[in-house]
Amino acid sequence: MTDRPLTLMAVHAHPDDEATGTGGVLARYAAEGIRTVLVTCTDGGCGDGPGGVKPGDPGHDPAAVALMRRQELAASCAVLGVSDLEMLDYADSGMMGWPSNDAPGSFWRTPVQEGAARLAELMRHYRPDVVVTYDENGFYGHPDHIQAHRITMAALEMTALAPKVYWTTMPRSMMQRFGEIMREFHEDMPEPDPAEAAAMAEIGLPDDEITTWVDTTRFSGQKFDALAAHASQGENIFFLKMGKERFGELMGMETFVRVQDATGAAIPENDLFAGLR
């Protein structure tokens, strides 16, 4: 036995991703005494600037946006009780097809082995028992999410560690519910074109393919507040318009696919640390 605490490491692409996809598990496991390590790969410089100024518009300063988002990330981590925040500080690549994808220093342009080597050093330092990141499509095709997946899986190969590994996902039933709620809050929202609708239908997984359902209802208030800490990106977070009670009803379950395990814990499971305690 060892005195080393059980450790969760979440590898995310941008400031605010930690709250959207894993805010519940970060808060829950921190409250249970588990060390929670957040690795944020990019500086978020392609996010909205003050007043909602978009990348490429006059007055958008990526360096100033990155500084603002770093401060928001620190506030979010405080809300969620994150034990350790590590920032790789690669330049935000922006959405797929943006010129920023190929800008010098962008995360998307960084060789996978380079990013993986840096992450592997963090893994050796923290020795996580559970690692969480995105699937090979970055959940919805964002280049930085895809790259975060790539460097995480490569870093795991570089180390002698054998943690449980999970990819974030969403049940298709919940994706359908999200669409209904978005239309409820945006009555004038146009119907997506067939190609866009088909792409949306491929996001997430059928409910019966999800291995891990973690109830984080008790921590949905913290998740809400962590999202709210990213105030500069508020217009992109329609969830906050629901209010805490409705948010908790919808966002009280976080779901994952287990892709690596040495514990033999049965699936489906309701705890990322099943078999470890």
Side-chain angles (χ1 to χ4, degrees):
M1 297 296 290
T2 175
D3 291 333
R4 184 181 65 83
L6 285 171
T7 300
L8 166 65
M9 176 179 282
V11 183
H12 281 293
H14 312 98
D16 80 6
D17 290 332
E18 81 291 338
T20 307
T22 55
V25 292
L26 287 169
R28 170 179 163 169
Y29 290 122
E32 293 178 6
I34 288 171
R35 180 168 60 177
T36 51
V37 181
L38 170 63
V39 181
T40 301
C41 296
T42 80
D43 60 10
C46 285
D48 293 352
V53 177
K54 302 294 183 184
D57 287 350
H60 187 276
D61 179 353
V65 171
L67 176 60
M68 174 179 63
R69 297 195 72 185
R70 179 186 290 269
Q71 294 166 344
E72 291 175 339
L73 179 59
S76 172
C77 286
V79 168
L80 297 173
V82 169
S83 309
D84 300 271
L85 170 62
E86 299 283 354
M87 297 193 70
L88 300 185
D89 264 340
Y90 289 108
D92 189 340
S93 309
M95 300 298 286
M96 190 67 81
W98 286 13
S100 50
N101 292 174
D102 296 316
S106 76
F107 189 38
W108 183 241
R109 184 172 169 175
T110 298
V112 169
Q113 293 302 302
E114 176 188 320
R118 293 181 62 195
L119 182 57
E121 282 302 305
L122 293 175
M123 288 181 175
R124 294 186 188 104
H125 174 72
Y126 289 107
R127 304 187 66 81
D129 301 282
V130 172
V131 172
V132 175
T133 192
Y134 314 100
D135 63 20
E136 62 270 24
N137 190 47
F139 185 59
Y140 69 99
H142 193 296
D144 288 331
H145 290 223
I146 294 171
Q147 189 76 329
H149 162 85
R150 290 173 176 171
I151 74 163
T152 301
M153 303 312 291
L156 287 163
E157 290 185 5
M158 291 178 178
T159 71
L161 306 173
K164 296 180 79 177
V165 180
Y166 294 88
W167 296 343
T168 58
T169 191
M170 187 95 51
R172 294 264 170 84
S173 61
M174 190 178 293
M175 289 298 298
Q176 182 178 354
R177 182 68 181 130
F178 280 158
E180 294 168 357
I181 290 173
M182 287 184 73
R183 283 188 288 276
E184 177 184 332
F185 281 88
H186 301 278
E187 294 180 359
D188 57 347
M189 188 172 71
E191 289 293 325
D193 64 50
E196 183 180 340
M200 287 294 292
E202 293 301 311
I203 293 177
L205 288 173
D207 293 33
D208 60 1
E209 293 183 20
I210 291 171
T211 64
T212 311
W213 303 70
V214 184
D215 185 353
T216 60
T217 305
R218 283 202 304 125
F219 304 94
S220 58
Q222 283 172 260
K223 182 171 179 172
F224 184 96
D225 290 342
L227 279 169
H230 295 281
S232 69
Q233 311 305 305
E235 71 175 54
N236 296 324
I237 306 174
F238 84 94
F239 304 109
L240 299 179
K241 297 178 181 177
M242 302 176 191
K244 277 190 177 181
E245 184 175 350
R246 186 95 182 269
F247 178 87
E249 293 171 0
L250 182 68
M251 302 292 286
M253 184 73 70
E254 291 184 350
T255 51
F256 306 86
V257 173
R258 192 174 84 190
V259 295
Q260 179 175 305
D261 172 62
T263 70
I267 53 175
E269 60 187 358
N270 59 12
D271 179 8
L272 297 179
F273 288 85
L276 292 169
R277 55 179 178 171

